[in-house]
Amino acid sequence: MSKFNTHQPVFNLLSEVAQQQQTRAFVIGGYVRDCLLKRDFRKDIDVVVEGSGIDFAKAVAAKIGKDVQVAYFKNFGTAMLKYDGLELEFVGARKESYQRESRKPIVENGTLEEDQARRDFTINALAFELFPLNEDVIDPFGGLQDLENGILRTPLAPDQTYSDDPLRMMRAIRFATQLHFTIEAESLNAISRNRERIKIVSQERIAEELNKIILAEKPSIGFKILFETGLLELIFPEMANLQGVDVVQGKAHKDNFFHTLQVLDNLCQTTNNLWLRWSAILHDIAKPATKKFEPGHGWTFHGHEDKGARMVPEIFRKLKLPLNDKMKYVQKLVLLHLRPIVLSKEEVSDSAVRRLLFEAGEDIDDLMLLCQADITSKNKEKVKRYLANFELVKIKLKEIEEKDRLRYWQPPVSGNDIMVSFGIKPGKEIGLIKAAIREAILDGIIPNEFGAAYAFMVTEGEKLGLVLQRRLETSISDSEPL
Ligand code: CTP
């Protein structure tokens, strides 16, 4: 059995070029690691050559012929090209030393082993040779053993590896989360010691690693390490701030950091949607800011959903997450996250369900997933009761949605209908009448259909002193937003 799928044509090609160029060349890094871990097959292959990566890439391109595009990054001495659905990256083996205040390496040519030593983790320094092509793993730093034992260890002293490139602290935590590996103790201490160096890493790269942690099967693993090493406080202080329990008059509130992580892990069992996962991270973000102890009552966090939603844009801006409809979506879910839970505690009225459907719109199913994940009491009976009530809310939502079609709401009577019917120009009366119709539908006074809404419009208009000029049988414009 081929460990590294070396029967693929690409390996033959690379092997021939290595022979022709009389250059030692190796496959290294993520491709080797993931093949050994039997993870999903990778589409990117890193090749390290003892010589010039750029010259090697040129020779590969010449051999492929046709119109192959090569991207050269002269400053880094790397080149990239696509072949057979794969992305190949070439780099010259180097012994690097880094400038202290940036992540830019000063590159000097080196041997394979020198190059392996300068990589982040022993499991990422594994390599095999291309000519003669064979699958024997070249492993001077014990990476195979670490792979076997599930350990993340740096090839050199960890202080040096992390200080050289502080992004590796995030990578260590990301790999620990993705692979369920343990960061070796000395390495973990070094992350704590070097944490301030994260400040020289660009926010985009930090966000990329953070998102990979969030997309893992159990993101709490990564967030706990980020917290324990002190990195979380530096990169995402609002989240670190959730941690802690206050006790007044013998009453404690729950630790919102660990609660948030539990909600996040719960949610991860039902969705891979990154932004829905972000809404779990942020759902209680304003709890520290709204926390109050009310004597005789206990701890309250009034308005945390509203304040939390207002905090979202600034957090997204600082973390360099997209400031577009994804942000708006997270904001909406944070704002509405208590609503289904409130419904599940009360006798559920049709109009409350209708209002929720109206406000959540097409995101109602995601909101329900978030809320279900938020039911986390230690008291099993309580959880069972809430979940049972929650099922009732879901049934009710379905019933009302089928009846009222509120998910993709369009007002049955448009602003144009109102103007034509009463012979009036745009003005505040139109907004007032439309709002009155919407409220009547949400309260269940009239059904969500043209005939009933039109009759209601006539009465509301008359209340405002308007006189019907022309009676409509159907809406004249049915695509106008509310
Ligand atoms: N590498 C490193 N230090 C970094 C980034 C990368 O030493 N800060 C090395 C590692 O040997 C790594 C290889 O470069 O395996 C390729 O990096 P990259 O493609 O970013 O990561 P992968 O290990 O391939 O993993 P993934 O694709 O999951 O990010």
Side-chain angles (χ1 to χ4, degrees):
M1 250 313 264
S2 162
K3 291 194 282 267
F4 299 122
N5 293 304
T6 43
H7 51 270
Q8 291 182 94
V10 66
F11 291 105
N12 200 18
L13 170 78
L14 295 172
S15 184
E16 279 177 25
V17 173
Q19 181 181 19
Q20 241 170 41
Q21 301 277 304
Q22 300 192 6
T23 310
R24 296 191 73 199
F26 310 84
V27 175
I28 194 162
Y31 181 86
V32 181
R33 178 197 69 221
D34 286 354
C35 282
L36 291 168
L37 283 171
K38 303 193 169 56
R39 288 178 92 199
D40 286 349
F41 179 68
R42 292 183 70 112
K43 294 273 174 221
D44 58 317
I45 301 178
D46 289 325
V47 176
V48 61
V49 300
E50 288 186 346
S52 159
I54 291 188
D55 290 349
F56 196 91
K58 279 186 187 154
V60 173
K63 204 163 188 72
I64 298 172
K66 292 183 277 180
D67 27 46
V68 56
Q69 299 276 335
V70 191
Y72 298 103
F73 305 95
K74 290 227 166 67
N75 290 348
F76 296 94
T78 62
M80 216 182 77
L81 60 83
K82 292 203 167 122
Y83 173 74
D84 200 17
L86 299 163
E87 222 168 71
L88 310 180
E89 190 166 333
F90 301 89
V91 62
R94 45 197 166 181
K95 41 181 177 199
E96 288 166 348
S97 43
Y98 284 77
Q99 293 159 348
R100 188 128 180 99
E101 292 316 318
S102 88
R103 293 182 56 235
K104 292 204 181 60
I106 306 160
V107 182
E108 277 177 70
N109 291 342
T111 61
L112 171 71
E113 187 161 338
E114 281 165 338
D115 185 279
Q116 285 172 302
R118 303 308 307 222
R119 289 188 176 252
D120 53 1
F121 306 108
T122 60
I123 62 164
N124 288 345
L126 300 169
F128 65 90
E129 182 145 22
L130 283 161
F131 183 78
L133 180 60
N134 74 80
E135 297 200 339
D136 295 344
V137 180
I138 307 168
D139 177 25
F141 299 102
L144 282 173
Q145 193 65 50
D146 287 341
L147 208 56
E148 180 102 340
N149 297 334
I151 304 274
L152 286 155
R153 185 195 314 275
T154 55
L156 300 179
D159 280 308
Q160 179 168 355
T161 301
Y162 292 125
S163 176
D164 277 354
D165 179 358
L167 178 68
R168 290 167 170 172
M169 301 190 284
M170 293 294 299
R171 282 171 62 88
I173 299 172
R174 185 256 289 187
F175 283 122
T177 316
Q178 282 180 329
L179 305 175
H180 295 260
F181 273 31
T182 307
I183 303 175
E184 173 263 332
E186 251 320 293
S187 208
L188 199 60
N189 290 335
I191 295 179
S192 296
R193 272 197 300 278
N194 290 280
R195 64 177 181 273
E196 292 285 340
R197 296 222 358 107
I198 198 69
K199 291 182 178 154
I200 68 163
V201 178
S202 81
Q203 190 52 57
E204 285 82 356
R205 301 304 299 275
I206 295 176
E208 220 175 277
E209 295 300 329
L210 209 50
N211 283 341
K212 285 185 182 173
I213 292 173
I214 296 168
L215 283 172
E217 191 192 344
K218 197 174 174 206
S220 64
I221 298 174
F223 279 106
K224 283 180 189 160
I225 311 175
L226 284 170
F227 181 75
E228 284 154 14
T229 53
L231 273 172
L232 194 64
E233 207 184 312
L234 297 173
I235 62 169
F236 190 2
E238 295 84 352
M239 187 174 183
N241 215 9
L242 287 172
Q243 195 272 338
V245 175
D246 282 338
V247 185
V248 174
Q249 295 174 3
K251 285 198 172 178
H253 61 77
K254 63 182 159 196
D255 184 308
N256 288 308
F257 178 65
F258 293 103
H259 164 71
T260 293
L261 293 185
Q262 200 187 335
V263 176
L264 179 59
D265 284 351
N266 286 349
L267 186 66
C268 290
Q269 292 178 17
T270 57
T271 180
N272 291 324
N273 174 343
L274 175 66
W275 304 107
L276 183 49
R277 290 180 175 202
W278 264 107
S279 73
I281 294 170
L282 294 172
H283 80 288
D284 278 347
I285 202 73
K287 275 202 166 169
T290 53
K291 178 163 81 178
K292 273 206 185 74
F293 185 80
E294 292 177 3
H297 187 65
W299 291 100
T300 64
F301 304 90
H302 291 311
H304 76 272
E305 69 286 10
D306 189 54
K307 189 167 175 62
R310 279 186 281 120
M311 286 167 73
V312 170
E314 179 61 7
I315 291 175
F316 266 52
R317 195 189 58 74
K318 280 202 296 192
L319 291 173
K320 289 264 171 26
L321 295 171
L323 293 170
N324 54 16
D325 53 333
K326 306 292 180 216
M327 190 268 287
K328 295 240 164 65
Y329 162 87
V330 172
Q331 217 177 2
K332 180 182 186 181
L333 292 178
V334 171
L335 181 67
L336 296 178
H337 82 267
L338 292 176
R339 298 277 294 277
I341 297 277
V342 171
L343 290 186
S344 75
K345 285 183 197 162
E346 294 165 356
E347 196 47 40
V348 190
S349 76
D350 280 11
S351 92
V353 173
R354 219 177 269 123
R355 274 177 193 281
L356 179 61
L357 254 174
F358 175 70
E359 283 173 57
E362 59 183 336
D363 300 318
I364 185 71
D365 295 336
D366 291 353
L367 178 66
M368 293 302 281
L369 289 178
L370 171 63
C371 287
Q372 188 149 348
D374 197 9
I375 301 175
T376 65
S377 168
K378 283 204 179 70
N379 179 338
K380 286 217 174 76
E381 271 310 303
K382 211 162 146 186
V383 170
K384 221 164 110 187
R385 206 168 58 241
Y386 276 3
L387 286 174
N389 285 347
F390 207 69
E391 284 308 310
L392 291 180
V393 176
K394 279 195 196 159
I395 294 169
K396 199 100 190 176
L397 268 170
K398 199 154 173 274
E399 272 172 22
I400 294 199
E401 200 197 324
E402 276 165 13
K403 190 153 66 79
D404 294 1
R405 307 171 313 279
L406 280 163
R407 185 181 294 234
Y408 303 101
W409 159 274
Q410 292 290 339
V413 172
S414 72
N416 242 343
D417 297 339
I418 301 170
M419 290 193 283
V420 171
S421 301
F422 292 114
I424 55 172
K425 295 203 162 50
K428 72 171 188 324
E429 291 86 356
I430 294 151
L432 289 173
I433 295 174
K434 280 174 81 172
I437 296 172
R438 185 189 65 217
E439 291 302 301
I441 292 171
L442 291 176
D443 285 337
I445 296 166
I446 56 168
N448 181 20
E449 55 192 40
F450 179 79
Y454 195 77
F456 191 82
M457 175 209 80
V458 174
T459 328
E460 285 301 300
E462 282 167 356
K463 278 192 214 156
L464 294 170
L466 302 173
V467 182
L468 195 67
Q469 306 289 321
R470 187 180 145 195
R471 183 172 289 278
L472 302 176
E473 294 307 319
T474 52
S475 177
I476 52 172
S477 56
D478 46 20
S479 60
E480 190 189 348
L482 191 66

